Amino acid sequence: MNEFKTLQLGDEELFKQTVYNFRQQVITTEKAREFLSNPTNIVHVAIDEGKVVGYVLAYRLNRMDNGKDILLIFHLFVAEDHQRQGIARTLMTRIIDYANSEPLHYALLITQTDNFKARALYESLGGYNHPDDKEVYFWYITGKPVTDKQ
């Protein structure tokens, strides 16, 4: 049975586990505490038998005008052995519910064009794929990631 939790101060060990399981990085408790103490960082996790098996990470972004804030949904990952169990749908529903409860101007996320399963999930949850030829540009300050497509 999966448990879903919004991480907050006091959940540093779960956050450290999330970063290690999905980003293969070890972070300090101090870094975890710093991240979780920032109210603009929103993390929801799925836990199975004490292990984090999925998460969604979003950043609340302030606008410079009188409009309401926006939410950038930055990561959504589910462990391969826990996929196709509704975890991603539940995590996305939780983050969309958060956006609606604030209320925010809009939430957005970026996904790969060929990630058909993710796109189907987002569309089934009411996500709108903007038709106006939006393009995404990246500036990799620490070096461009290596991919199979290079």
Side-chain angles (χ1 to χ4, degrees), residues 13 29 49 96 139:
E13 291 306 313
T29 301
E49 297 182 6
I96 293 166
W139 286 260

Side-chain angles (χ1 to χ4, degrees), residues 18-26:
T18 302
V19 173
Y20 183 78
N21 290 354
F22 292 94
R23 308 304 295 169
Q24 293 74 49
Q25 295 179 15
V26 175

Side-chain angles (χ1 to χ4, degrees), residues 39 43 45 57 67 76 86 89 95 103 106 109 135 139 142:
V43 183
V45 296
L57 165 65
L76 173 66
R89 176 174 296 281
I95 204 70
Y106 63 84
L109 64 78
E135 300 293 332
W139 286 260
T142 59

Side-chain angles (χ1 to χ4, degrees), residues 30-66:
E30 181 179 307
K31 173 66 178 174
R33 189 174 300 117
E34 175 188 331
F35 190 90
L36 293 174
S37 68
N38 185 334
T40 64
N41 301 334
I42 300 102
V43 183
H44 297 271
V45 296
I47 304 166
D48 186 30
E49 297 182 6
K51 180 182 175 191
V52 175
V53 297
Y55 78 101
V56 62
L57 165 65
Y59 299 104
R60 186 174 177 145
L61 305 174
N62 293 333
R63 291 176 50 138
M64 64 182 274
D65 58 14
N66 290 325

